Amino acid sequence: MADLKRRVPMHSLRYFISMVGLFSKSGLLPWYARNPPGWSQLFLGTVCKGDFTHVIATKCQKGQKSQKKPSHLGPLDGSWQERLADVVTPLWRLSYEEQLKVKFEAQKKILQRLESYIQMLNGVNVTTAVPKSESLPCLLHPIIPSPVINGYRNKSTFSVNRGPDGNPKTVGYYLGTWRDGNIVCVRSNNLKNIPEKHSQVAQYYEVFLRQSPLEPCLVFHEGGYWRELIVRTNSQGDTMAIITFHPQKLSQEELHVQKETVKEFFIRGPGAACDLTSLYFQESTMTRCSHQQSPYQLLFGEPYIFEELLSLKIRISPDAFFQINTAGAEMLYRTVGELTGVNSDTILLDICCGTGVIGLSLAQHTSQVLGIELVEQAVEDARWTAAFNGITNSEFHTGRAEKILPGLLKSKEDGQSVVAVVNPARAGLHYKVIQAIRNCRAIRTLVFVSCKLHGESTRNVIELCCPPDPAKKLLGEPFVLQQAVPVDLFPHTPHCELVLLFTR
């Protein structure tokens, strides 16, 4: 801990200028704008027809190098960049075909475990769509691959801490754990899932920090000012940067000086090379602050970035959730749309809707779209997107789903069919949301999207499928899991979206 408190001598302006020159000469900073890789309609058709069956038909070979995690962070474990890649993108050493095999087998095991839970629950036998010898609760489709494999992230969050050389003003990703006290911050230059543009902005932020007289905030409650950096981009090449800053006891006048300094750096200083579309500044006195708790302050540029997806122009605020793989998200949302089976008599209920893309993309096929989202900025984005694209049969509600949903569903018991789509955070759905869905007789179809079907999300699925339980206020007819479709939005990592179709 004493080492964390140790101060490193401040860099002079001369050293700052020499650093910029060094980065430029070494080729680390320039970034060449390029259009994101596209994909042909032929490829899309191939994916939808499930021709990747051969990719996932056999198990991944055991003993792959990338599956090994470093046991310590000593100097003999390879380069810092390789060790970071092994932590952030553990599958990066495998071909993409092999990655898909690993992920498919992982999703299969998740479903097998889920089946055993449901079977054990009061002796319930769930109707299966595959032979019982497979021990799966439903039909498992081949995995849908990501159209873009490298540099696919449209949002990256960079931390500030001590680098391998001990400099506390290093911007990158963490190696080690806080518990073990061996945190090291490593630059992201060689991570396959991070676009060059994101790494470029991070490196210039590091250059700025190293010439700033203010110390970084390494441990939240131990002082310091400069904190994390978030970079968001779209497929048109626009770039939004968000800097988080702990104000400590600075006066408003002193805060204004810091905001003007960082603004000048990215407009007319070395950071102008990043060609930012917008720069936000957030004064955060907590580990995490929402826009409502501490508003994002626009220092310059456009307040939003926009994305084209599923024939919609979508507005994205700095605080709004948007799937981090834009091309993969289109595949995901198309899959969700096909599974919902909505028609002109259907009300589509989009729970945890983010910027509303799923519901709005299906609005023309439904009688009404009802969206619920916690983040107010995201709801404002959804309303703007609906208005801009001429969608008039949608309404979006701000707040916690467990508070809004029960009242919203009370008026939907008049015989009109309701299809629900839920895309919760990793923590899963609140139990009151599950209660409301189970107890609404109008909901006959449910599509559940999960990037991590563990813990609370597993409990969600079990409570959707279990027999009526008055003690848990689960009174409605249980759902039956019919189909599962893995969709890869996160190449080089073990993560995968799993789309589940329930009916009753």
Side-chain angles (χ1 to χ4, degrees):
M1 193 61 71
D3 185 61
L4 287 174
K5 294 180 179 177
R6 184 163 47 102
R7 300 290 180 123
V8 175
M10 211 176 357
H11 296 279
S12 65
L13 180 59
R14 181 178 301 172
Y15 178 76
F16 165 57
I17 295 172
S18 68
M19 284 292 294
V20 174
L22 176 63
F23 278 122
S24 300
K25 289 177 183 177
S26 64
L28 290 175
L29 292 177
W31 175 79
Y32 302 95
R34 66 174 188 273
N35 292 326
W39 65 94
S40 67
Q41 290 301 316
L42 176 61
F43 177 75
L44 279 176
T46 301
V47 172
C48 294
K49 291 175 184 175
D51 286 356
F52 265 74
T53 306
H54 70 283
V55 174
I56 47 79
T58 59
K59 291 185 178 180
C60 179
Q61 295 177 358
K62 295 182 179 180
Q64 290 287 353
K65 225 173 173 183
S66 66
Q67 302 307 301
K68 296 181 180 179
K69 295 183 179 180
S71 58
H72 65 290
L73 297 178
L76 301 178
D77 287 336
S79 73
W80 289 102
Q81 294 290 341
E82 284 185 345
R83 277 178 277 166
L84 181 65
D86 285 337
V87 171
V88 178
T89 53
L91 305 184
W92 71 280
R93 299 177 192 270
L94 299 179
S95 69
Y96 190 50
E97 184 173 301
E98 289 294 313
Q99 291 183 33
L100 292 176
K101 292 179 184 179
V102 171
K103 295 190 181 194
F104 181 81
E105 289 301 318
Q107 301 308 309
K108 188 175 179 180
K109 288 180 180 177
I110 287 172
L111 290 173
Q112 288 171 338
R113 187 182 70 247
L114 189 61
E115 167 72 348
S116 66
Y117 289 155
I118 297 175
Q119 294 286 356
M120 287 188 298
L121 189 64
N122 297 326
V124 177
N125 289 317
V126 179
T127 302
T128 60
V130 293
K132 290 188 177 180
S133 60
E134 292 289 332
S135 300
L136 292 174
C138 64
L139 172 65
L140 174 59
H141 290 273
I143 189 168
I144 297 176
S146 172
V148 179
I149 299 172
N150 295 322
Y152 56 83
R153 292 190 65 97
N154 55 43
K155 179 182 178 181
S156 299
T157 302
F158 299 94
S159 299
V160 178
N161 215 296
R162 295 189 183 281
D165 61 353
N167 194 315
K169 294 183 175 181
T170 302
V171 180
Y173 281 73
Y174 284 157
L175 274 177
T177 64
W178 290 105
R179 183 183 62 187
D180 296 333
N182 61 352
I183 287 290
V184 180
C185 194
V186 182
R187 293 173 186 156
S188 66
N189 304 60
N190 294 331
L191 291 178
K192 288 191 172 183
N193 61 342
I194 305 295
E196 293 177 26
K197 184 59 179 257
H198 292 201
S199 294
Q200 182 209 26
V201 178
Q203 288 180 24
Y204 272 108
Y205 182 49
E206 179 178 292
V207 170
F208 171 78
L209 295 185
R210 293 187 176 191
Q211 57 89 41
S212 171
L214 297 185
E215 294 298 316
C217 181
L218 303 184
V219 180
F220 193 76
H221 299 293
E222 295 188 6
Y225 302 89
W226 299 108
R227 295 183 57 210
E228 68 184 24
L229 166 75
I230 298 174
V231 182
R232 304 191 79 152
T233 49
N234 63 10
S235 55
Q236 289 77 45
D238 298 323
T239 305
M240 173 189 290
I242 305 162
I243 292 173
T244 309
F245 184 89
H246 196 310
Q248 302 295 351
K249 296 181 180 180
L250 294 182
S251 66
Q252 287 301 311
E253 211 171 284
E254 291 169 319
L255 280 170
H256 177 73
V257 170
Q258 296 308 314
K259 286 185 275 191
E260 286 299 310
T261 302
V262 72
K263 174 181 172 181
E264 186 71 15
F265 176 86
F266 280 103
I267 291 180
R268 281 176 280 274
C274 297
D275 193 24
L276 296 182
T277 308
S278 57
L279 176 63
Y280 275 95
F281 186 92
Q282 186 187 38
E283 300 167 25
S284 178
T285 57
M286 296 182 287
T287 306
R288 285 286 181 272
C289 277
S290 67
H291 175 71
Q292 284 71 33
Q293 294 167 321
S294 180
Y296 291 92
Q297 304 169 46
L298 181 64
L299 299 188
F300 72 82
E302 300 296 324
Y304 313 101
I305 58 175
F306 298 87
E307 191 56 88
E308 302 284 340
L309 192 69
L310 297 171
S311 302
L312 297 173
K313 182 173 183 178
I314 301 156
R315 192 181 84 173
I316 305 171
S317 296
D319 202 23
F321 170 78
F322 189 76
Q323 289 285 358
I324 58 99
N325 180 339
T326 304
E330 183 149 354
M331 304 297 292
L332 175 67
Y333 296 155
R334 287 188 190 278
T335 301
V336 171
E338 290 174 9
L339 291 177
T340 60
V342 295
N343 56 50
S344 57
D345 296 322
T346 304
I347 293 175
L348 180 64
L349 184 60
D350 192 356
I351 304 170
C352 307
C353 66
T355 52
V357 182
I358 293 177
L360 294 175
S361 67
L362 297 171
Q364 61 180 322
H365 305 295
T366 67
S367 64
Q368 188 181 23
V369 172
L370 300 173
I372 303 174
E373 169 59 37
L374 177 63
V375 179
E376 185 175 345
Q377 277 190 307
V379 170
E380 292 173 359
D381 290 339
R383 290 169 179 162
W384 182 94
T385 298
F388 182 87
N389 292 279
I391 298 171
T392 57
N393 63 336
S394 65
E395 61 180 61
F396 294 91
H397 302 263
T398 306
R400 295 190 177 278
E402 61 268 23
K403 293 184 178 180
I404 295 175
L405 187 59
L408 199 60
L409 289 178
K410 280 182 180 178
S411 61
K412 306 306 175 187
E413 297 285 354
D414 55 3
Q416 190 167 18
S417 173
V418 178
V419 173
V421 175
V422 294
N423 186 13
R426 291 186 179 184
L429 291 170
H430 193 279
Y431 73 95
K432 288 187 178 180
V433 176
I434 297 297
Q435 288 176 357
I437 293 173
R438 272 290 299 261
N439 299 337
C440 179
R441 290 173 295 174
I443 300 177
R444 311 302 297 177
T445 301
L446 169 68
V447 178
F448 192 112
V449 182
S450 175
C451 64
K452 189 177 182 181
L453 200 58
H454 297 285
E456 193 62 32
S457 294
T458 299
R459 188 190 305 274
N460 291 161
V461 173
I462 291 172
E463 291 181 345
L464 287 168
C465 298
C466 72
D469 186 345
K472 293 184 177 180
K473 299 182 181 179
L474 299 172
L475 307 178
E477 181 185 352
F479 284 90
V480 177
L481 179 55
Q482 300 286 4
Q483 300 182 51
V485 186
V487 184
D488 186 23
L489 264 64
F490 317 102
H492 310 300
T493 80
H495 306 299
C496 183
E497 296 280 1
L498 187 62
V499 186
L500 303 174
L501 172 65
F502 298 87
T503 63
R504 61 177 177 177

